[in-house]
Amino acid sequence: MEYKPDEIEKAAREKWAKEDIYKVTNDSSLPKYYVLDMFPYPSGAGLHVGHPLGYIASDIFSRFKRLKGFNVLHPMGWDAFGLPAEQYAIQTGQHPTITTEQNLARYRSQMDMLGFSYDWSREIKTSDPKFYRWTQWIFLKLFGSWYNNKTQKAEPIETLISQFEKLGTTEIDAAYGEEMTFSADEWKSFSEKKKSDVLFNYRLAYLSEAWVNWCPALGTVLANDEVKDGVSERGGYPVERKLMPQWSLRITAYSDRLLNDLDTIDWSESIKEAQRNWIGRSEGCSLQFTINNPDSYREQFTITVFTTRPDTVFGVTFITLAPENELVNKITPASHKAQVEEYVNIAKNKTERERQAEKKVSGIFTGAYAIHPFTGNKIPIWVGEYVLAGYGTGAVMGVPAHDSRDHAFAKHFGLDIKQVIEIPESLATARNEAVLPDNKIASQSLAMTEPYDGKNGKCINSDFLNGLDVKDAIKRAIEEIEKRGLGKGKINFRLRDAAFGRQRYWGEPIPIYYKDGIPTPLDESELPLVLPEVDKFQPTETGEPPLARATTWKYKGQYNYEYTTMPGWAGSSWYYLRYEDPKNDKEFTSKDAINYWQNVDLYIGGAEHATGHLLYFRFWTKFLNDYGLIPFTEPAKKLVNQGMIQGVSAYITRINTEIFVLSGSILRTLFTIPIIYITKEVADKIVTDEGMQNELVDFLNNCFRKFNPRMAAFVRDQDYSIKIDARGRNWFNTRPFPIQEISANNDIEKEKIIEWINNYDRIENTQIVFFPEDNKPYVFNREVEKMSKSKWNVVTPDDVVAQYGADTMRMYEMFLGPLELSKPWSTQGISGVYNFLKKFWRMFFSSQWSVASSQSEEFYVSGEKATPAELKILHKTIKKIDEDIERLSFNTAVSAFMICLNELYDLKCNKREILEPLLICLSSFAPFVAEELWTKLGHTSSVVKAKFPKFEESYLVENTFSYPVSFNGKTRFMLELPLNLSKEQIEKEVLSSEDAKKWLKEAPIKKVIVVPNKIVNIVV
RNA sequence: GCCCUGGUGGUGGAAUUGGUAGACACGCAGGACUUAAAAUCCUGUAUUCAUUGCGAAUGUGCGGGUUCAAGUCCCGCCCGGGGUACCA
């Protein structure tokens, strides 16, 4: 009987569905295991071959754990809120609910096709009010909490209020936005509104005026991790900085714990490192500078800076403020006001992208001076873009000798550079700076051409710090600063609070309404606050978010609800808990469920969520733990990042058709020039080769004449000829072409290109020309990159499954290489896995050993007793598979199956005693084949419920070992010796062997190394 | 720039604790079966030299080192991939 994947897979799918085979219960005496895939966003394109990589791995692991006797929670659901569905809704008017439903139905069917063992009775969807009710509930808890630094826990806001009432701000050590001090009496005298504002300074979910990443094209605010290179991660639209009222979560309160607890979890080093960098802890101190203000009527101000290098305080020669710093306006004397304001305005209004692109130094002198707290010197105060408003105090002390940015700034504006740390001799030499006899360096004063920011060296020119090493000097300087009351030791984090409001429709409503201008939370009992219907998904004419369109969007018909919605990551920050008890309408998850399932044992997903989702995920877990709602502080014990399966895209190069011609005084575009396709090779040649350039110019001029006689006349009349800017690569456009259409040689008949362009670009074929005009096929330029619809390089699993079956697809993706590795998709080699499955199948059919036709073969396994050799092969494989799955080394496990099969095949083994346990091992990789053969073996229950075969060491016991014998480390021959020999006996045996004599000849033996059961090495 | 990764045959990759480098698979070459094809099976396949057989030398990005022994450990470079960037 032939192996027909489509038939057996269909049958198995139906069987599993009918028997509800993957359902798991919460009341089990078995040990639990929780395997989770990262929450997918169901996009319109469906799954491509890259998506299932992690799902296959987690599925194999889940099935394996089930066979090993665990009660395995392996759920799937949908991160259903999000921008693409809403953008689509804006374009088509179709409600995001509908699009989302369609998309996830497609995902679901693809997942079923691949045989994933999800318990679909636990399916969740973030856009379902039954789910987001609890997201809102957690938000309200965050809103009603402050962070007590003393207990290192979130606490109800009421405890803070009662402290305010008793003691004001004294004795409070809380995470806050800005420093506040008031007495209990003052607190009591505050208006309701004022009290509300003050509390927002402490709440974990709060509303404040904040600089945000505003994306005009998307009409919304984005979190830091949603902005890449100054543009939005989704869509690539420019992002501006804007000051606006904004809901945020005080994740910064958890900085320390988020950082420290990384050491307790088994996550990849690269993710942990990315989080450490993102959190960005730095130790230092604050330091105050008073302002030397000649305008005596003006208020006295102080500037506080944050520095990690107080040891360099004597090297301060200027102070720089961020353009956004409020002090700029206050300290600038009238004489400088105009210029400073102009500079500040320009700097503030730049987009993130412009700021990042701008590499040159910019800044302006404010006209004001500060007093150096130790030397009493007057030092100028500048404003500079390189100082960030959001970090530290938005002000830095300029130490140009020992900070590269300060150095660049000082050099550019001709400010003093004062060296205060000795440069180590080796470095000074490397820099060609003369070293004087007494180990002082010639450039120790003014002429430092490069900054030295290293932390090795002793302080010089630094009064009480002189002679101290940097490390000691830092301590000493902080001591002195604290003693003189100029500042105090401080730890700063790079991590910012997370913007939580989105000016969009398709997200969870924020359960807040505004009563007399005071943001007021809904009561828990009033949840869920359900997303209202709106006539359009766009902002209102006055620029308010879409929710403002809903006339009913009022609390008790009276007070306006909050118009912004939650960001995409809200639901995914806690969803893993909901799977444990997905239907509960009394609690987010029951205590019993949490106590049984606990946190995720194995979490598999892409590395792109390193600083976004995975940080919020940990943050919310810690918060819920603070309230005793869950008994653990980390959401996932082990995290594995699967590599990306990239696509290969084919690029076609064409000459930029926007050729401008100066007509009179206006630049006109010549639209009528044909589209000219050239290969990458030709394009590269044109850039450098003048002969080729001339040829192309002639060619273009001919095209004019041929395709546009009027233009040809113009060209002739004006004696116009096209010039090519050899440096300007912009001259060429590249455009992706569907990769599936192209042969392995990367070439294609030109007619095909023309046909495709007609269809997709709607350009008539008379307008398409190739250069040079030979008859050879067009050769493409290939690139390996992310699979994406827009690049026409997407390969779906559907095609692969149709051709080879899901089992082959599953095993092949695993066979490609280590799970964590990224690799381009290629089906080269898939036949190896397919052949394996076919061969495995044939082992179960009677006449397999005759080479005759396969038509008449019947299912047959022998009941004979297995031989020791057969048992050895089986148990070697059981051991290997078990170990490999445990360490997620699926590629080597697949190899092990192949090796096992080859060996059994050589022995012509078709014994049940061997094949049946092997089938169970294979069932987590190829569940369909396994189910079919399992049934044929006469079992009535599913292979899913089988027990993983027990490994018996006794079958593997050997009494001899084949020693590789090497001379000077080079292996020369093998020698089989009994295992029970002593080192001395082994040495004797080896030296007396014929082979050894041949190699030894007369050479004297210096030493013989014998490692029992490993190797023998003879040194001559 | 900084941080994290990785670099092994024609290709994907294996070598888990320093102990036979190249498992397994693809591809390729040759052969069997067949009228033929598909399917299946067998043999070979790191490189170079030698081939009459035995063989020999080289070899895990490059240059050093430690060791009886290095793909694996140490030092210094080069290249690819990913992350991040005025974070004071």
Side-chain angles (χ1 to χ4, degrees), chain A residues 270 308 391 405 494 496 816 880 898 1017:
Chain A
S270 60
T308 55
Y391 183 76
R405 294 151 305 180
R494 202 186 82 114
R496 308 294 160 74
L816 275 173
K880 176 82 177 144
M898 290 173 170
N1017 190 16

mmCIF file of all heavy atoms in Angstrom, chain A residues 270 308 391 405 494 496 816 880 898 1017, chain B residues 4 12 14 16 24 56 68 84 86-88:
data_model
loop_
_atom_site.group_PDB
_atom_site.id
_atom_site.type_symbol
_atom_site.label_atom_id
_atom_site.label_comp_id
_atom_site.label_asym_id
_atom_site.label_seq_id
_atom_site.Cartn_x
_atom_site.Cartn_y
_atom_site.Cartn_z
ATOM 1 N N SER A 270 20.833 36.591 24.658
ATOM 2 C CA SER A 270 20.687 37.786 23.827
ATOM 3 C C SER A 270 19.435 38.581 24.215
ATOM 4 O O SER A 270 19.453 39.804 24.221
ATOM 5 C CB SER A 270 20.673 37.424 22.348
ATOM 6 O OG SER A 270 19.605 36.563 22.064
ATOM 7 N N THR A 308 27.374 60.134 35.862
ATOM 8 C CA THR A 308 27.923 58.865 36.342
ATOM 9 C C THR A 308 29.412 59.035 36.647
ATOM 10 O O THR A 308 30.050 58.119 37.098
ATOM 11 C CB THR A 308 27.788 57.744 35.289
ATOM 12 O OG1 THR A 308 28.402 58.179 34.091
ATOM 13 C CG2 THR A 308 26.339 57.412 35.038
ATOM 14 N N TYR A 391 15.806 62.072 29.857
ATOM 15 C CA TYR A 391 16.718 61.258 30.651
ATOM 16 C C TYR A 391 17.380 62.106 31.712
ATOM 17 O O TYR A 391 17.782 63.242 31.456
ATOM 18 C CB TYR A 391 17.783 60.616 29.763
ATOM 19 C CG TYR A 391 18.705 59.702 30.527
ATOM 20 C CD1 TYR A 391 18.274 58.432 30.910
ATOM 21 C CD2 TYR A 391 19.972 60.116 30.891
ATOM 22 C CE1 TYR A 391 19.095 57.600 31.644
ATOM 23 C CE2 TYR A 391 20.809 59.277 31.611
ATOM 24 C CZ TYR A 391 20.366 58.021 31.986
ATOM 25 O OH TYR A 391 21.177 57.201 32.708
ATOM 26 N N ARG A 405 30.840 63.109 23.575
ATOM 27 C CA ARG A 405 29.833 64.064 23.089
ATOM 28 C C ARG A 405 30.147 65.470 23.553
ATOM 29 O O ARG A 405 30.070 66.435 22.794
ATOM 30 C CB ARG A 405 28.453 63.641 23.589
ATOM 31 C CG ARG A 405 27.998 62.337 22.998
ATOM 32 C CD ARG A 405 27.087 61.635 23.941
ATOM 33 N NE ARG A 405 27.744 61.465 25.250
ATOM 34 C CZ ARG A 405 27.178 60.880 26.267
ATOM 35 N NH1 ARG A 405 25.959 60.447 26.185
ATOM 36 N NH2 ARG A 405 27.838 60.752 27.396
ATOM 37 N N ARG A 494 17.356 54.099 31.913
ATOM 38 C CA ARG A 494 17.039 54.544 30.571
ATOM 39 C C ARG A 494 15.565 54.256 30.254
ATOM 40 O O ARG A 494 14.942 54.923 29.449
ATOM 41 C CB ARG A 494 17.923 53.766 29.587
ATOM 42 C CG ARG A 494 18.116 54.395 28.261
ATOM 43 C CD ARG A 494 18.876 53.443 27.345
ATOM 44 N NE ARG A 494 17.965 52.479 26.780
ATOM 45 C CZ ARG A 494 17.674 52.402 25.492
ATOM 46 N NH1 ARG A 494 18.258 53.196 24.646
ATOM 47 N NH2 ARG A 494 16.825 51.517 25.043
ATOM 48 N N ARG A 496 11.749 54.133 30.048
ATOM 49 C CA ARG A 496 10.735 55.171 30.253
ATOM 50 C C ARG A 496 9.400 54.509 30.547
ATOM 51 O O ARG A 496 9.163 53.375 30.166
ATOM 52 C CB ARG A 496 10.540 56.013 28.987
ATOM 53 C CG ARG A 496 11.778 56.576 28.415
ATOM 54 C CD ARG A 496 12.389 57.600 29.366
ATOM 55 N NE ARG A 496 13.777 57.766 29.002
ATOM 56 C CZ ARG A 496 14.167 58.430 27.918
ATOM 57 N NH1 ARG A 496 13.293 58.984 27.140
ATOM 58 N NH2 ARG A 496 15.438 58.529 27.626
ATOM 59 N N LEU A 816 15.720 21.331 9.098
ATOM 60 C CA LEU A 816 16.492 22.409 8.480
ATOM 61 C C LEU A 816 17.700 22.855 9.288
ATOM 62 O O LEU A 816 18.669 23.368 8.736
ATOM 63 C CB LEU A 816 15.594 23.627 8.285
ATOM 64 C CG LEU A 816 14.755 23.659 7.012
ATOM 65 C CD1 LEU A 816 13.807 24.841 7.049
ATOM 66 C CD2 LEU A 816 15.646 23.730 5.789
ATOM 67 N N LYS A 880 18.219 8.754 22.471
ATOM 68 C CA LYS A 880 18.619 9.935 21.700
ATOM 69 C C LYS A 880 17.429 10.892 21.490
ATOM 70 O O LYS A 880 17.552 12.106 21.666
ATOM 71 C CB LYS A 880 19.180 9.463 20.351
ATOM 72 C CG LYS A 880 19.550 10.548 19.379
ATOM 73 C CD LYS A 880 20.916 11.122 19.667
ATOM 74 C CE LYS A 880 21.292 12.160 18.616
ATOM 75 N NZ LYS A 880 22.062 13.274 19.188
ATOM 76 N N MET A 898 16.217 8.805 11.166
ATOM 77 C CA MET A 898 16.690 8.334 9.867
ATOM 78 C C MET A 898 17.747 7.249 10.033
ATOM 79 O O MET A 898 17.731 6.232 9.349
ATOM 80 C CB MET A 898 17.265 9.506 9.061
ATOM 81 C CG MET A 898 16.204 10.488 8.595
ATOM 82 S SD MET A 898 16.970 11.927 7.836
ATOM 83 C CE MET A 898 15.530 12.727 7.123
ATOM 84 N N ASN A 1017 46.308 7.786 22.926
ATOM 85 C CA ASN A 1017 47.197 8.664 22.172
ATOM 86 C C ASN A 1017 48.639 8.328 22.532
ATOM 87 O O ASN A 1017 48.998 8.269 23.705
ATOM 88 C CB ASN A 1017 46.887 10.123 22.501
ATOM 89 C CG ASN A 1017 47.618 11.080 21.570
ATOM 90 O OD1 ASN A 1017 48.108 10.665 20.519
ATOM 91 N ND2 ASN A 1017 47.696 12.332 21.957
ATOM 92 P P C B 4 28.481 41.135 24.654
ATOM 93 O OP1 C B 4 28.814 40.415 25.887
ATOM 94 O OP2 C B 4 29.534 41.445 23.667
ATOM 95 O "O5'" C B 4 27.330 40.343 23.899
ATOM 96 C "C5'" C B 4 26.120 40.035 24.571
ATOM 97 C "C4'" C B 4 25.097 39.559 23.574
ATOM 98 O "O4'" C B 4 24.868 40.577 22.572
ATOM 99 C "C3'" C B 4 25.515 38.356 22.745
ATOM 100 O "O3'" C B 4 25.388 37.167 23.478
ATOM 101 C "C2'" C B 4 24.566 38.461 21.560
ATOM 102 O "O2'" C B 4 23.269 38.004 21.895
ATOM 103 C "C1'" C B 4 24.524 39.964 21.334
ATOM 104 N N1 C B 4 25.470 40.415 20.287
ATOM 105 C C2 C B 4 25.116 40.213 18.934
ATOM 106 O O2 C B 4 24.045 39.650 18.688
ATOM 107 N N3 C B 4 25.956 40.628 17.960
ATOM 108 C C4 C B 4 27.111 41.227 18.283
ATOM 109 N N4 C B 4 27.887 41.622 17.290
ATOM 110 C C5 C B 4 27.497 41.445 19.647
ATOM 111 C C6 C B 4 26.657 41.028 20.601
ATOM 112 P P G B 12 25.022 26.140 3.197
ATOM 113 O OP1 G B 12 24.847 27.567 3.492
ATOM 114 O OP2 G B 12 26.292 25.459 3.545
ATOM 115 O "O5'" G B 12 23.841 25.323 3.876
ATOM 116 C "C5'" G B 12 22.485 25.746 3.688
ATOM 117 C "C4'" G B 12 21.573 24.822 4.439
ATOM 118 O "O4'" G B 12 21.624 23.496 3.854
ATOM 119 C "C3'" G B 12 21.948 24.572 5.892
ATOM 120 O "O3'" G B 12 21.551 25.654 6.717
ATOM 121 C "C2'" G B 12 21.190 23.286 6.179
ATOM 122 O "O2'" G B 12 19.819 23.531 6.337
ATOM 123 C "C1'" G B 12 21.418 22.517 4.864
ATOM 124 N N9 G B 12 22.616 21.670 4.956
ATOM 125 C C8 G B 12 23.897 22.008 4.601
ATOM 126 N N7 G B 12 24.756 21.051 4.815
ATOM 127 C C5 G B 12 24.003 20.020 5.357
ATOM 128 C C6 G B 12 24.388 18.720 5.786
ATOM 129 O O6 G B 12 25.509 18.214 5.784
ATOM 130 N N1 G B 12 23.298 17.993 6.262
ATOM 131 C C2 G B 12 22.005 18.455 6.324
ATOM 132 N N2 G B 12 21.109 17.605 6.817
ATOM 133 N N3 G B 12 21.629 19.655 5.923
ATOM 134 C C4 G B 12 22.671 20.385 5.446
ATOM 135 P P A B 14 23.697 21.854 13.593
ATOM 136 O OP1 A B 14 22.668 21.848 14.644
ATOM 137 O OP2 A B 14 24.743 22.871 13.590
ATOM 138 O "O5'" A B 14 24.376 20.424 13.558
ATOM 139 C "C5'" A B 14 23.541 19.275 13.738
ATOM 140 C "C4'" A B 14 24.364 18.039 13.839
ATOM 141 O "O4'" A B 14 25.172 17.855 12.648
ATOM 142 C "C3'" A B 14 25.400 18.008 14.947
ATOM 143 O "O3'" A B 14 24.790 17.752 16.186
ATOM 144 C "C2'" A B 14 26.283 16.855 14.495
ATOM 145 O "O2'" A B 14 25.669 15.615 14.768
ATOM 146 C "C1'" A B 14 26.290 17.063 12.982
ATOM 147 N N9 A B 14 27.500 17.727 12.510
ATOM 148 C C8 A B 14 27.643 18.981 11.974
ATOM 149 N N7 A B 14 28.874 19.269 11.613
ATOM 150 C C5 A B 14 29.585 18.123 11.937
ATOM 151 C C6 A B 14 30.929 17.774 11.793
ATOM 152 N N6 A B 14 31.847 18.589 11.279
ATOM 153 N N1 A B 14 31.312 16.554 12.224
ATOM 154 C C2 A B 14 30.395 15.740 12.738
ATOM 155 N N3 A B 14 29.098 15.948 12.915
ATOM 156 C C4 A B 14 28.751 17.172 12.485
ATOM 157 P P U B 16 29.694 17.803 21.189
ATOM 158 O OP1 U B 16 30.436 18.908 20.573
ATOM 159 O OP2 U B 16 30.284 17.043 22.323
ATOM 160 O "O5'" U B 16 28.267 18.361 21.589
ATOM 161 C "C5'" U B 16 28.109 19.557 22.353
ATOM 162 C "C4'" U B 16 27.290 19.297 23.607
ATOM 163 O "O4'" U B 16 26.096 18.549 23.258
ATOM 164 C "C3'" U B 16 28.014 18.472 24.668
ATOM 165 O "O3'" U B 16 27.681 18.992 25.952
ATOM 166 C "C2'" U B 16 27.415 17.087 24.530
ATOM 167 O "O2'" U B 16 27.401 16.345 25.743
ATOM 168 C "C1'" U B 16 25.987 17.423 24.109
ATOM 169 N N1 U B 16 25.327 16.348 23.341
ATOM 170 C C2 U B 16 24.265 15.690 23.937
ATOM 171 O O2 U B 16 23.860 15.965 25.052
ATOM 172 N N3 U B 16 23.696 14.708 23.169
ATOM 173 C C4 U B 16 24.071 14.318 21.916
ATOM 174 O O4 U B 16 23.454 13.422 21.350
ATOM 175 C C5 U B 16 25.180 15.056 21.366
ATOM 176 C C6 U B 16 25.761 16.013 22.088
ATOM 177 P P C B 24 25.510 8.740 8.048
ATOM 178 O OP1 C B 24 25.175 7.311 8.131
ATOM 179 O OP2 C B 24 26.354 9.255 6.955
ATOM 180 O "O5'" C B 24 24.159 9.594 8.071
ATOM 181 C "C5'" C B 24 23.095 9.250 8.946
ATOM 182 C "C4'" C B 24 22.027 10.316 8.892
ATOM 183 O "O4'" C B 24 22.543 11.560 9.455
ATOM 184 C "C3'" C B 24 21.598 10.722 7.484
ATOM 185 O "O3'" C B 24 20.656 9.821 6.943
ATOM 186 C "C2'" C B 24 20.999 12.097 7.745
ATOM 187 O "O2'" C B 24 19.736 12.012 8.358
ATOM 188 C "C1'" C B 24 22.000 12.660 8.752
ATOM 189 N N1 C B 24 23.098 13.376 8.077
ATOM 190 C C2 C B 24 22.883 14.710 7.687
ATOM 191 O O2 C B 24 21.785 15.230 7.926
ATOM 192 N N3 C B 24 23.878 15.384 7.065
ATOM 193 C C4 C B 24 25.056 14.780 6.824
ATOM 194 N N4 C B 24 26.001 15.483 6.203
ATOM 195 C C5 C B 24 25.301 13.425 7.207
ATOM 196 C C6 C B 24 24.303 12.766 7.825
ATOM 197 P P A B 56 49.087 6.576 5.444
ATOM 198 O OP1 A B 56 49.872 6.197 6.644
ATOM 199 O OP2 A B 56 47.624 6.667 5.536
ATOM 200 O "O5'" A B 56 49.653 7.942 4.877
ATOM 201 C "C5'" A B 56 51.056 8.079 4.668
ATOM 202 C "C4'" A B 56 51.335 9.279 3.807
ATOM 203 O "O4'" A B 56 50.634 9.142 2.551
ATOM 204 C "C3'" A B 56 50.817 10.601 4.361
ATOM 205 O "O3'" A B 56 51.676 11.126 5.359
ATOM 206 C "C2'" A B 56 50.780 11.454 3.090
ATOM 207 O "O2'" A B 56 52.069 11.903 2.724
ATOM 208 C "C1'" A B 56 50.294 10.430 2.066
ATOM 209 N N9 A B 56 48.830 10.475 1.880
ATOM 210 C C8 A B 56 47.878 9.593 2.335
ATOM 211 N N7 A B 56 46.652 9.915 1.984
ATOM 212 C C5 A B 56 46.804 11.078 1.258
ATOM 213 C C6 A B 56 45.879 11.921 0.610
ATOM 214 N N6 A B 56 44.567 11.711 0.592
ATOM 215 N N1 A B 56 46.362 13.013 -0.022
ATOM 216 C C2 A B 56 47.688 13.237 -0.008
ATOM 217 N N3 A B 56 48.660 12.510 0.559
ATOM 218 C C4 A B 56 48.145 11.443 1.180
ATOM 219 P P C B 68 51.193 18.410 27.670
ATOM 220 O OP1 C B 68 51.486 17.507 28.813
ATOM 221 O OP2 C B 68 52.179 19.429 27.249
ATOM 222 O "O5'" C B 68 50.847 17.509 26.410
ATOM 223 C "C5'" C B 68 51.890 16.825 25.715
ATOM 224 C "C4'" C B 68 51.283 15.810 24.788
ATOM 225 O "O4'" C B 68 50.682 14.748 25.572
ATOM 226 C "C3'" C B 68 50.131 16.308 23.937
ATOM 227 O "O3'" C B 68 50.606 16.959 22.780
ATOM 228 C "C2'" C B 68 49.385 15.029 23.614
ATOM 229 O "O2'" C B 68 50.028 14.296 22.597
ATOM 230 C "C1'" C B 68 49.523 14.254 24.931
ATOM 231 N N1 C B 68 48.367 14.455 25.836
ATOM 232 C C2 C B 68 47.144 13.824 25.524
ATOM 233 O O2 C B 68 47.069 13.156 24.487
ATOM 234 N N3 C B 68 46.090 13.981 26.341
ATOM 235 C C4 C B 68 46.214 14.714 27.454
ATOM 236 N N4 C B 68 45.152 14.841 28.239
ATOM 237 C C5 C B 68 47.435 15.363 27.803
ATOM 238 C C6 C B 68 48.481 15.204 26.977
ATOM 239 P P U B 84 16.074 47.640 18.288
ATOM 240 O OP1 U B 84 14.829 47.898 19.029
ATOM 241 O OP2 U B 84 16.134 47.856 16.819
ATOM 242 O "O5'" U B 84 17.246 48.497 18.946
ATOM 243 C "C5'" U B 84 17.288 48.666 20.353
ATOM 244 C "C4'" U B 84 18.568 49.355 20.749
ATOM 245 O "O4'" U B 84 19.695 48.599 20.225
ATOM 246 C "C3'" U B 84 18.789 50.734 20.143
ATOM 247 O "O3'" U B 84 18.028 51.741 20.781
ATOM 248 C "C2'" U B 84 20.289 50.887 20.323
ATOM 249 O "O2'" U B 84 20.624 51.164 21.655
ATOM 250 C "C1'" U B 84 20.772 49.491 19.954
ATOM 251 N N1 U B 84 21.143 49.404 18.525
ATOM 252 C C2 U B 84 22.405 49.858 18.182
ATOM 253 O O2 U B 84 23.196 50.298 19.004
ATOM 254 N N3 U B 84 22.715 49.773 16.846
ATOM 255 C C4 U B 84 21.909 49.311 15.838
ATOM 256 O O4 U B 84 22.342 49.296 14.693
ATOM 257 C C5 U B 84 20.611 48.865 16.266
ATOM 258 C C6 U B 84 20.284 48.928 17.562
ATOM 259 P P C B 86 19.901 58.416 20.550
ATOM 260 O OP1 C B 86 18.481 58.114 20.297
ATOM 261 O OP2 C B 86 20.707 58.928 19.425
ATOM 262 O "O5'" C B 86 19.940 59.291 21.799
ATOM 263 C "C5'" C B 86 20.903 60.103 22.328
ATOM 264 C "C4'" C B 86 22.337 59.699 22.329
ATOM 265 O "O4'" C B 86 22.966 60.227 21.128
ATOM 266 C "C3'" C B 86 23.113 60.332 23.470
ATOM 267 O "O3'" C B 86 24.321 59.639 23.672
ATOM 268 C "C2'" C B 86 23.391 61.710 22.894
ATOM 269 O "O2'" C B 86 24.442 62.370 23.513
ATOM 270 C "C1'" C B 86 23.767 61.345 21.448
ATOM 271 N N1 C B 86 23.458 62.390 20.483
ATOM 272 C C2 C B 86 24.494 62.862 19.659
ATOM 273 O O2 C B 86 25.619 62.386 19.789
ATOM 274 N N3 C B 86 24.206 63.822 18.754
ATOM 275 C C4 C B 86 22.966 64.297 18.646
ATOM 276 N N4 C B 86 22.741 65.221 17.746
ATOM 277 C C5 C B 86 21.912 63.832 19.481
ATOM 278 C C6 C B 86 22.196 62.889 20.379
ATOM 279 P P C B 87 24.609 58.480 24.656
ATOM 280 O OP1 C B 87 25.945 58.645 25.226
ATOM 281 O OP2 C B 87 24.264 57.271 23.898
ATOM 282 O "O5'" C B 87 23.531 58.635 25.841
ATOM 283 C "C5'" C B 87 23.810 59.401 27.016
ATOM 284 C "C4'" C B 87 23.174 58.685 28.204
ATOM 285 O "O4'" C B 87 21.759 58.882 28.111
ATOM 286 C "C3'" C B 87 23.433 57.180 28.168
ATOM 287 O "O3'" C B 87 24.232 56.667 29.213
ATOM 288 C "C2'" C B 87 22.053 56.521 27.929
ATOM 289 O "O2'" C B 87 21.808 55.440 28.742
ATOM 290 C "C1'" C B 87 21.069 57.660 28.142
ATOM 291 N N1 C B 87 20.033 57.678 27.079
ATOM 292 C C2 C B 87 18.698 57.408 27.405
ATOM 293 O O2 C B 87 18.425 57.173 28.583
ATOM 294 N N3 C B 87 17.763 57.409 26.436
ATOM 295 C C4 C B 87 18.128 57.666 25.176
ATOM 296 N N4 C B 87 17.173 57.653 24.249
ATOM 297 C C5 C B 87 19.460 57.935 24.825
ATOM 298 C C6 C B 87 20.387 57.925 25.803
ATOM 299 P P A B 88 24.485 56.803 30.526
ATOM 300 O OP1 A B 88 25.333 55.748 31.030
ATOM 301 O OP2 A B 88 23.197 57.102 31.122
ATOM 302 O "O5'" A B 88 25.391 58.101 30.596
ATOM 303 C "C5'" A B 88 25.554 58.754 31.831
ATOM 304 C "C4'" A B 88 26.252 60.045 31.582
ATOM 305 O "O4'" A B 88 25.708 60.654 30.403
ATOM 306 C "C3'" A B 88 26.057 61.097 32.676
ATOM 307 O "O3'" A B 88 26.978 60.914 33.734
ATOM 308 C "C2'" A B 88 26.278 62.390 31.938
ATOM 309 O "O2'" A B 88 27.645 62.643 31.758
ATOM 310 C "C1'" A B 88 25.631 62.065 30.589
ATOM 311 N N9 A B 88 24.229 62.480 30.540
ATOM 312 C C8 A B 88 23.330 62.585 31.564
ATOM 313 N N7 A B 88 22.147 63.003 31.196
ATOM 314 C C5 A B 88 22.267 63.177 29.831
ATOM 315 C C6 A B 88 21.364 63.606 28.850
ATOM 316 N N6 A B 88 20.108 63.953 29.117
ATOM 317 N N1 A B 88 21.791 63.674 27.582
ATOM 318 C C2 A B 88 23.062 63.330 27.335
ATOM 319 N N3 A B 88 24.014 62.904 28.162
ATOM 320 C C4 A B 88 23.548 62.855 29.417
#
